[in-house]
Amino acid sequence: MAGEFGNPEVVQEEVDILFIGGGMACCGAAYEVMRWADAAKAETGIDLKIKLVDKAAMDRSGAVAQGLSAINTYIGTEQDPADYARMVSNDLMGITRDDLSYDLGRHVDESVHLFEEWGLPIWKTDENGERHDGSKGMPALKDGGKPVRSGKWQIMINGESYKWIVAEAAKKALGMDRIEERIFIVKLVNDKNDPSRIAGAVGFSTRDHKVVVYKAKAILLAAGGCVNLFRPRSVGEGQGRAWYPVWNAGSTYSMAAEAGAELTMMENRFVPARFKDGYGPVGAWFLLFKAQATNAIGEVYMVKNKELLNDYPPYGQAAVPASCLRNHLMLKEMREGRGPIYMDTVTALAKLRETLSPREVKHLEAEAWEDFLDMCVGQCGVWVGENIEPEKKNSELMPTEPYLLGSHSGCCGIWVSGPEDLGAPTSEEHAEADKIPGYLPKGWNWGYRSMTTVKGLFTAGDGVGASGHKFSSGSHAEGRMCAKAMVKYCIDNKDWKPELDTSPEQLVADIYQPVKTYLEFKDYTTAIDINPHYITPKMLQFRLQKIMDEYVAGVATYYQTNAHMLAVAEEKLEMLKEDAMKMRAKDLHELLRAWENYHRILTAEAHMKHIQFREESRYPGFYYRMDKNFVDEENWHCFVNSVYDKNSKKWTVFKRAHVDLVDKSK
Ligand code: FAD
């Protein structure tokens, strides 16, 4: 029977494998899983039941929704995955898992070759060194075609339809009967008989009045990073503009935490410096057009403030200093009153004119626009609206509000089991060094690649912490690795039957509570948004963003905080968490917003707790603990990890020893 508002239809389904998300990682998993499942069926006769749910429509969901103009991770035959692991480590100030980065480095290219096979145009250079925008008539990468590199690891694509192409292959491989779009997952459910095991998930349709309760042996949680937990620079009429995708609301981190999974490096964040107001990408300008960023009086701050990098050895002295340190040099100019900061497009294009023909320059200028059109249409709107012709007028740059993510230039996320063959620390080696809660695995490998510390719960892309710089291609590759490991996990656990630790009735009641609150109290006042019995999701989101912005090193304080400010934030977040139970939902859209906020709050709390615990400023330029404004290699060259207890609602934060597997002196 079809449900109605306040009285949803309840659908219960039992599967072996559940993929949560339809972004790059889950598309990778969806593409990969059937060949392992079919092979397992041929061998064991077990026909695994598989399902993928996405809160949006896969063709344009997740961070690649608008398209991209570069694939940022392609190793190629000329480079070494160990160099890639070194770059990841340096950019993230030394605290990453080399086993995860190296493993990704040796697998990622295969995903890129698949994208090309599915029709993604990849720019090539011919034998005369001439560039071709697109692949027509050129050999494929896997057949020796040479990509156009915009940086050491990046290759250029015509990528407006990138996500569409990747999603099409995923849908074809998995089959639409195994996919359900517009399902927002709210909670994971642990096993009744073994709380350290995952048993299912529950969510609702954002289109129909329907709650879905899944039982599953293995779950891939790859619901992206977290956006809008800080007050964005774009408010009021600009609200909704952000750099990372607004619809990724911390579901990955919060649901994993509530299920008991160990998180790692949640203090890490990414504060990209982007074109102001449109959040347009700067990579092509720096890498392809060799433009420089200046302060208001034309000084190149990367040159002027160079000696500041010496405060942070060795991360500041690498050929490309860590991203946060590049912001650090920019912020000095802003704090000391020499803003605005500009991308000097005028000089860059004039210089190109000295060596290139007018036709070639025109072509490059078109590429500058295309870079925006491919992945950030809004920036074109800003340039057109403000009469910006890049050859005549420089454009402002601005460090954005902070974002939490594990696949782009950040490394917060979930602690996962790595590959077996790279010499990562074993349980025995780490048992002594780490003072971690006794029930958690000690080493870096506990069986299935990419499994979290909760049995049967896997993650990929933005979900995997302590790695980073995987980007679109790496997230896809990680999803594929998960699919293989999940099939093995299901076959190994073929006789085990999941049992939910909470009844479906209770789960449905929990999820629809904001609707119930609304229906019960809506007539108490004459103005629908003003009511002593409930708070609208929008107002609650403003409260969260204000707390994070003002106390947890948002843009309001130039990314500065200290132990006192964090203590205030802690108290306010605690109260916000209580009030979150009073959110109302007057329709399905608000129900979605309510639960997104709930996910953001838990993610924000994890971020705050980790910054509080790490008594140093590991990422200057991304955040400063002004009471500990230094990098302390002796005491804090380690992972900061945490677990959350959903019953007591308390966090336990602890250190894990860091080990280099790749020689960083090279
Ligand atoms: P996503 O691809 O974001 O997918 C997350 C999925 O989860 C989405 O389908 C979403 O709908 C779904 N979801 C979220 N919450 C829920 C829930 N509760 N229930 C169900 N489903 C849910 N990479 C490059 O290689 N090159 C670049 O140039 C580049 N530039 C970028 C520029 C921008 C502006 C952005 C935003 C990203 C860029 N990236 C780039 C990075 C790349 O997009 C990400 O690394 C990659 O998409 C991460 O994959 P993912 O699967 O972890 O997350």
Side-chain angles (χ1 to χ4, degrees):
M1 201 192 77
E4 55 190 15
F5 192 56
N7 186 21
E9 178 193 3
V10 179
V11 176
Q12 298 191 45
E13 207 177 323
E14 189 157 347
V15 297
D16 294 287
I17 290 178
L18 180 68
F19 298 144
I20 301 175
M24 288 307 284
C26 279
C27 281
Y31 168 76
E32 185 74 26
V33 73
M34 288 319 295
R35 66 166 139 156
W36 298 100
D38 287 344
K41 186 177 172 190
E43 201 177 309
T44 63
I46 300 169
D47 194 1
L48 293 177
K49 205 161 173 241
I50 301 165
K51 178 114 197 188
L52 181 151
V53 288
D54 187 353
K55 78 189 262 194
M58 283 169 78
D59 290 336
R60 289 272 177 203
S61 67
V64 186
Q66 282 194 63
L68 298 177
S69 55
I71 289 175
N72 282 354
T73 311
Y74 182 70
I75 310 295
T77 46
E78 74 281 17
Q79 303 195 93
D80 179 356
D83 280 336
Y84 166 72
R86 271 182 211 107
M87 176 277 288
V88 176
S89 165
N90 190 77
D91 196 65
L92 293 163
M93 301 295 281
I95 319 286
T96 52
R97 293 248 316 252
D98 285 344
D99 62 332
L100 300 179
S101 301
Y102 187 93
D103 199 29
L104 197 271
R106 65 184 170 176
H107 287 114
V108 62
D109 288 5
E110 207 182 308
S111 275
V112 181
H113 297 164
L114 286 169
F115 302 156
E116 187 168 33
E117 195 181 308
W118 300 332
L120 180 71
I122 295 179
W123 295 17
K124 299 280 167 48
T125 311
D126 65 21
E127 59 277 11
N128 305 318
E130 278 223 14
R131 284 173 24 179
H132 297 255
D133 311 357
S135 319
K136 264 217 174 103
M138 305 291 292
L141 290 178
K142 70 174 169 35
D143 300 327
K146 286 211 166 10
V148 173
R149 285 203 181 268
S150 51
K152 193 166 157 58
W153 310 101
Q154 296 89 340
I155 61 172
M156 298 295 291
I157 58 174
N158 285 346
E160 187 278 336
S161 300
Y162 186 11
K163 182 66 203 307
W164 192 283
I165 290 168
V166 172
E168 185 182 48
K171 286 177 175 179
K172 189 157 178 273
L174 197 58
M176 280 312 284
D177 49 340
R178 294 194 183 92
I179 295 173
E180 199 166 345
E181 296 178 331
R182 314 276 182 199
I183 299 289
F184 181 79
I185 297 295
V186 174
K187 275 178 198 225
L188 301 180
V189 190
N190 295 82
D191 187 58
K192 190 171 157 186
N193 308 307
D194 179 359
S196 68
R197 200 185 267 274
I198 210 68
V202 56
F204 63 94
S205 164
T206 60
R207 287 288 187 271
D208 306 312
H209 300 295
K210 181 172 92 175
V211 173
V212 284
V213 183
Y214 296 105
K215 279 188 187 169
K217 278 198 171 102
I219 293 182
L220 169 58
L221 174 60
C226 191
V227 177
N228 269 335
L229 72 167
F230 282 84
R231 181 156 45 200
R233 288 198 184 270
S234 300
V235 292
E237 82 289 353
Q239 200 185 9
R241 266 313 293 142
W243 168 74
Y244 222 51
V246 284
W247 42 83
N248 287 356
S251 300
T252 309
Y253 312 126
S254 58
M255 289 198 279
E258 282 196 313
E262 182 177 343
L263 304 184
T264 185
M265 302 305 289
M266 288 303 289
E267 65 275 32
N268 180 268
R269 54 168 68 176
F270 185 41
V271 177
R274 289 293 181 267
F275 283 109
K276 187 169 176 295
D277 299 333
Y279 295 78
V282 294
W285 280 97
F286 281 132
L287 301 170
L288 214 57
F289 306 122
K290 310 286 176 227
Q292 291 189 304
T294 70
N295 64 15
I297 48 174
E299 294 169 322
V300 178
Y301 58 79
M302 284 303 293
V303 177
K304 183 185 171 210
N305 297 334
K306 196 163 186 260
E307 70 287 358
L308 291 185
L309 295 172
N310 296 333
D311 296 340
Y312 302 103
Y315 318 111
Q317 291 134 345
V320 182
S323 302
C324 64
L325 295 176
R326 304 202 298 273
N327 273 19
H328 179 56
L329 270 50
M330 173 198 278
L331 282 170
K332 180 176 164 65
E333 298 306 296
M334 295 180 81
R335 273 196 309 268
E336 293 177 4
R338 288 181 293 277
I341 302 296
Y342 288 105
M343 178 74 87
D344 188 358
T345 56
V346 176
T347 309
L349 290 175
K351 274 202 177 142
L352 287 174
R353 250 179 237 117
E354 288 168 12
T355 50
L356 301 178
S357 69
R359 202 175 136 263
E360 285 169 320
V361 173
K362 193 117 208 90
H363 188 70
L364 268 180
E365 279 173 16
E367 264 163 30
W369 283 94
E370 198 174 313
D371 190 38
F372 293 159
L373 288 169
D374 270 351
M375 56 200 267
C376 188
V377 175
Q379 188 65 51
C380 291
V382 175
W383 273 17
V384 170
E386 297 190 353
N387 295 336
I388 292 176
E389 293 172 68
E391 68 279 22
K392 294 188 187 146
K393 187 174 173 184
N394 291 333
S395 281
E396 267 187 72
L397 296 182
M398 184 63 108
T400 67
E401 61 280 357
Y403 300 92
L404 267 62
L405 43 87
S407 72
H408 202 283
S409 308
C411 65
C412 75
I414 307 169
W415 187 248
V416 299
S417 178
E420 290 165 20
D421 62 332
L422 295 178
T426 62
S427 305
E428 295 72 39
E429 283 164 15
H430 263 204
E432 279 302 298
D434 295 344
K435 291 189 177 39
I436 60 171
Y439 66 92
L440 293 168
K442 302 291 185 295
W444 293 7
N445 173 272
W446 51 98
Y448 303 92
R449 174 70 165 93
S450 300
M451 193 166 84
T452 69
T453 56
V454 173
K455 288 181 219 117
L457 179 62
F458 293 73
T459 192
D462 278 325
V464 177
S467 43
H469 284 272
K470 295 166 283 192
F471 299 102
S472 58
S473 47
S475 300
H476 191 268
E478 267 186 352
R480 292 173 57 220
M481 289 183 211
C482 281
K484 180 180 173 189
M486 290 170 84
V487 168
K488 183 167 176 353
Y489 177 88
C490 286
I491 299 297
D492 291 351
N493 290 275
K494 60 180 187 314
D495 298 325
W496 174 74
K497 278 202 90 52
E499 280 188 67
L500 305 182
D501 72 0
T502 314
S503 70
E505 295 71 36
Q506 186 59 50
L507 291 168
V508 175
D510 288 351
I511 287 189
Y512 259 62
Q513 182 59 48
V515 173
K516 191 167 168 249
T517 303
Y518 170 72
L519 292 174
E520 201 175 330
F521 296 112
K522 69 181 174 37
D523 297 326
Y524 191 82
T525 58
T526 49
I528 190 172
D529 289 344
I530 300 158
N531 198 307
H533 295 284
Y534 58 64
I535 179 167
T536 67
K538 190 170 181 171
M539 296 312 283
L540 190 112
Q541 187 176 332
F542 287 155
R543 259 178 73 186
L544 169 68
Q545 293 178 342
K546 185 171 163 66
I547 296 168
M548 296 304 285
D549 189 37
E550 293 177 356
Y551 297 101
V552 194
V555 299
T557 61
Y558 272 111
Y559 312 101
Q560 296 173 9
T561 185
N562 61 37
H564 304 286
M565 293 166 87
L566 292 168
V568 178
E570 190 171 29
E571 197 186 344
K572 287 181 186 286
L573 283 175
E574 195 73 44
M575 286 190 250
L576 189 69
K577 236 160 89 175
E578 277 172 30
D579 290 353
M581 295 298 120
K582 294 266 171 61
M583 267 188 290
R584 71 130 203 239
K586 69 173 168 31
D587 48 38
L588 286 178
H589 185 70
E590 269 201 347
L591 189 60
L592 174 78
R593 290 285 180 255
W595 285 113
E596 284 178 342
N597 278 341
Y598 183 79
H599 289 169
R600 284 193 187 100
I601 294 173
L602 261 194
T603 306
E605 198 178 40
H607 187 49
M608 184 276 293
K609 293 270 178 192
H610 276 234
I611 292 179
Q612 201 173 42
F613 185 82
R614 184 180 275 283
E615 295 190 342
E616 61 160 1
S617 295
R618 175 63 46 176
Y619 307 106
F622 288 174
Y623 80 80
Y624 302 88
R625 267 201 59 169
M626 296 307 285
D627 50 345
K628 308 272 176 197
N629 195 5
F630 44 76
V631 169
D632 177 355
E633 286 288 87
E634 200 179 318
N635 297 301
W636 289 99
H637 191 98
C638 62
F639 300 102
V640 168
N641 288 9
S642 64
V643 281
Y644 182 69
D645 180 341
K646 69 176 170 187
N647 298 315
S648 67
K649 305 207 180 308
K650 297 277 173 250
W651 292 89
T652 306
V653 191
F654 51 92
K655 289 181 177 184
R656 270 197 191 255
H658 178 267
V659 179
D660 281 321
L661 302 180
V662 169
D663 181 1
K664 300 288 160 55
S665 62
K666 285 191 183 172

